[in-house]
Amino acid sequence: MMNLTDILKNNISVHSLIESMSEGIIFTNKEGEILSVNETTNQLFGYKRNELIGQPIENLIPNRFRDKHKTHLLSYFSAPKVRPMGHANSKLSGTKKDGTIFSLEISLSFINTDKELLAIAFITDISSRVKAENELKIRNIELDAFAHTIAHELHSQLNSIIGFSQLILNDNDLSEQKRSSFLDMIVASSLKMNSIIREMLLFSSLKKDEIVKTQLSMKNIVDEAVNRIADSEKKSAKISISDDFEPSLGYGPWIEEVWYNYIRNALKYGGTPPSIEIGSSKAKDGYNKFWVKDNGKGLTKKQCDIIFVDPQKLGNGFIRGHGLGLSIVKQIVQKLNGWVTVESTPNKGSRFSFYLPHSENNSH
């Protein structure tokens, strides 16, 4: 039986071995001139065969790091050893031929030939891993913010329930009118807590299994969202709902939450009394637009730019409601291959919209 030494000696050349590796491999001299690369390197950086030979290694490095790299190169050749490039917390980047910058890991080694000392760089594209890490960081930030909001709102509603319940139990002099009013407040707080829990469950499902999208019965979904809102929030409002909605593809339970959040915000921040219009219209490229228009004080351009990103930064208590919030609404609609917008003018109200594809063929 042949051992590995026999195989390497008789069947595989060093060149063939290097070409077969999944890592990019680059040989350079102390001047930083590229002497040889394998085909994986060409593919990683977008070059044709032999196109990199003779070029300075700095051509593969983002501009802002090139001067420092020359110093690092001289330092390495003065004391060569096998080691990773950079340090544990550093993020290395490379530049493709077309200028695209991507994340990579590099390990360094060296070889002493009869003529000169050469450096060897072993390169791995880690763009997918870095993207996943960044998405995880964003996810954790969202979870922290969501947990803080949920805890605050549940605590607030629970305090309300406990407070009014104690008044009913302990104050024997309460009139029937007062007692009935307090019971109404307990029911309203309980409904809000129920809504918060629904939104918690929905939020947890956003990043999990893929859902099945179907043609939406949008009028029914809007009606369900409106019915979920407490009568105390709707009592003085005028709500006009279109009889016909453009047909679109989506997932009913999620879209109900979008409408619920849009309509509650319009009620809370509309005029006195609130006047709300709910409807839809055709958009371009096979998409349809769905919207809630209010008669509130409106938003500035700066507020419009950040309202779906972090409503807490708007100041003056604006959109500090419970539950999903507009940033999570944005995630829902994006998950369904759509997008969200807001059109607003100070003192002239706002129109919050979301777009959904007419059919699967129009999904991105």
Side-chain angles (χ1 to χ4, degrees):
M1 178 181 292
M2 295 181 69
N3 60 31
L4 182 59
T5 302
D6 295 328
I7 293 173
L8 292 175
K9 186 183 295 181
N10 297 306
N11 298 328
I12 301 179
S13 67
V14 173
H15 175 75
S16 297
L17 185 62
I18 290 172
E19 285 297 321
S20 70
M21 296 186 72
S22 60
E23 295 174 296
I25 300 177
I26 301 176
F27 291 81
T28 66
N29 57 22
K30 65 181 181 181
E31 283 77 31
E33 178 187 1
I34 297 174
L35 303 178
S36 180
V37 302
N38 65 351
E39 183 56 27
T40 302
T41 300
N42 291 323
Q43 293 172 5
L44 284 177
F45 290 92
Y47 287 87
K48 296 178 181 177
R49 193 174 187 84
N50 296 324
E51 198 173 358
L52 280 170
I53 307 304
Q55 291 196 37
I57 189 69
E58 282 78 22
N59 285 4
L60 305 181
I61 298 170
N63 287 329
R64 64 186 184 277
F65 300 128
R66 289 182 181 179
D67 289 340
K68 285 185 178 180
H69 182 266
K70 292 176 182 177
T71 303
H72 293 326
L73 185 69
L74 291 173
S75 175
Y76 182 77
F77 272 95
S78 67
K81 62 180 179 179
V82 178
R83 65 171 178 83
M85 188 173 173
H87 53 81
N89 297 320
S90 66
K91 289 288 190 294
L92 302 178
S93 302
T95 303
K96 296 178 183 284
K97 184 180 179 181
D98 64 5
T100 302
I101 295 176
F102 66 107
S103 300
L104 44 79
E105 278 183 349
I106 302 175
S107 295
L108 299 175
S109 188
F110 65 96
I111 184 171
N112 237 325
T113 69
D114 293 337
K115 296 182 179 180
E116 61 182 329
L117 179 68
L118 302 180
I120 311 172
F122 299 86
I123 303 168
T124 304
D125 184 347
I126 60 168
S127 299
S128 297
R129 191 179 83 197
V130 170
K131 180 182 178 183
E133 289 173 352
N134 290 338
E135 288 176 349
L136 181 60
K137 288 178 183 177
I138 292 170
R139 175 71 168 162
N140 287 337
I141 291 170
E142 290 170 352
L143 282 171
D144 286 345
F146 186 70
H148 182 270
T149 301
I150 291 298
H152 173 77
E153 289 298 330
L154 284 175
H155 185 261
S156 175
Q157 300 306 324
L158 191 57
N159 277 345
S160 177
I161 291 171
I162 293 170
F164 288 122
S165 297
Q166 287 176 333
L167 283 172
I168 293 171
L169 286 172
N170 300 328
D171 191 343
N172 296 323
D173 296 328
L174 278 178
S175 66
E176 283 301 315
Q177 184 178 0
K178 278 284 187 181
R179 192 179 299 272
S180 177
S181 175
F182 289 164
L183 285 171
D184 286 342
M185 292 176 183
I186 290 172
V187 170
S189 292
S190 300
L191 289 172
K192 286 182 181 179
M193 289 184 70
N194 183 61
S195 181
I196 292 169
I197 292 168
R198 280 183 59 148
E199 292 176 354
M200 288 172 64
L201 294 172
L202 176 59
F203 181 79
S204 69
S205 73
L206 275 178
K207 301 291 183 179
K208 293 182 179 178
D209 297 336
E210 291 296 319
I211 44 81
V212 177
K213 291 180 282 188
T214 60
Q215 287 293 323
L216 299 168
S217 300
M218 196 64 85
K219 179 66 164 62
N220 292 337
I221 292 172
V222 172
D223 288 342
E224 284 295 319
V226 172
N227 289 337
R228 279 175 53 194
I229 300 171
D231 290 339
S232 59
E233 294 184 62
K234 297 181 293 187
K235 60 183 179 182
S236 62
K238 177 185 177 184
I239 303 176
S240 300
I241 304 174
S242 173
D243 291 327
D244 297 305
F245 285 84
E246 298 295 336
S248 281
L249 197 68
Y251 182 57
W254 288 2
I255 293 303
E256 184 181 319
E257 293 298 332
V258 173
W259 283 117
Y260 177 77
N261 276 271
Y262 271 4
I263 296 167
R264 283 200 73 234
N265 280 336
L267 287 167
K268 189 172 183 179
Y269 302 104
T272 307
S275 178
I276 299 169
E277 298 174 25
I278 300 170
S280 69
S281 57
K282 290 185 183 297
K284 60 182 181 179
D285 300 328
Y287 276 75
N288 292 320
K289 177 181 181 180
F290 302 90
W291 41 266
V292 175
K293 185 178 184 301
D294 66 53
N295 63 333
K297 65 179 182 180
L299 299 166
T300 65
K301 184 180 183 306
K302 182 180 178 181
Q303 289 174 324
C304 288
D305 289 341
I306 66 172
I307 194 166
F308 287 106
V309 180
D310 188 356
Q312 300 290 343
K313 293 181 179 178
L314 290 173
N316 298 323
F318 192 88
I319 311 292
R320 297 181 68 89
H322 76 271
L324 284 172
L326 295 178
S327 60
I328 309 302
V329 163
K330 180 180 178 181
Q331 288 189 44
I332 289 175
V333 177
Q334 287 180 336
K335 184 91 171 180
L336 296 173
N337 304 114
W339 67 94
V340 294
T341 62
V342 57
E343 307 155 76
S344 187
T345 303
N347 301 314
K348 292 187 178 180
S350 304
R351 184 194 301 264
F352 284 84
S353 306
F354 63 96
Y355 294 76
L356 291 176
H358 176 83
S359 66
E360 189 67 47
N361 293 334
N362 301 119
S363 299
H364 294 312

